[in-house]
Amino acid sequence: QVQLVESGGGLVQAGGSLRLSCAASGRTFSYYIMGWFRQAPGKEREFVAAIRWSGGSTNYADSVKGRFTISRDNAKNTVYLQMNNLKPEDTAVYYCAASRGLIESNKDRAYAYWGQGTQVTVSS
């Protein structure tokens, strides 16, 4: 099993940047992909980005391509989401998640464990 703890959220002005972190502990070798999702009030949870622990292959939602970068530090068992040029529509609770699979990384059904979430608020 895996435990996930997100951090780094906060309040930022439009055009600013934030870096989110997700610290993983436990049997991380059983979970090949780490993903970031977000959920705004009254909206469905949506995929943001995903990365493989091994090799570092990435996948991004179209809405964040060119602005967000997912990365990982295998030695620290930590995944990051660098968010640049933030927009008010990026406001949401951001969650990291761990998947045993190697496909469907953009689907929440592929993920077995989830963090508690961290709030990101972007002001106009």
Side-chain angles (χ1 to χ4, degrees), residues 60-124:
Y60 294 94
D62 289 341
S63 60
V64 305
K65 285 181 179 176
R67 299 190 298 122
F68 291 10
T69 302
I70 188 171
S71 61
R72 89 287 194 218
D73 186 331
N74 294 63
K76 295 181 178 180
N77 287 331
T78 300
V79 176
Y80 305 96
L81 185 68
Q82 179 66 46
M83 305 184 294
N84 297 327
N85 192 25
L86 283 161
K87 304 175 180 179
E89 50 263 44
D90 295 318
T91 295
V93 177
Y94 284 70
Y95 300 89
C96 66
S99 174
R100 282 190 248 260
L102 294 173
I103 59 174
E104 295 189 320
S105 63
N106 62 333
K107 306 294 186 181
D108 57 7
R109 67 190 179 199
Y111 294 83
Y113 289 95
W114 297 79
Q116 83 288 351
T118 186
Q119 177 71 47
V120 172
T121 303
V122 184
S123 62
S124 60

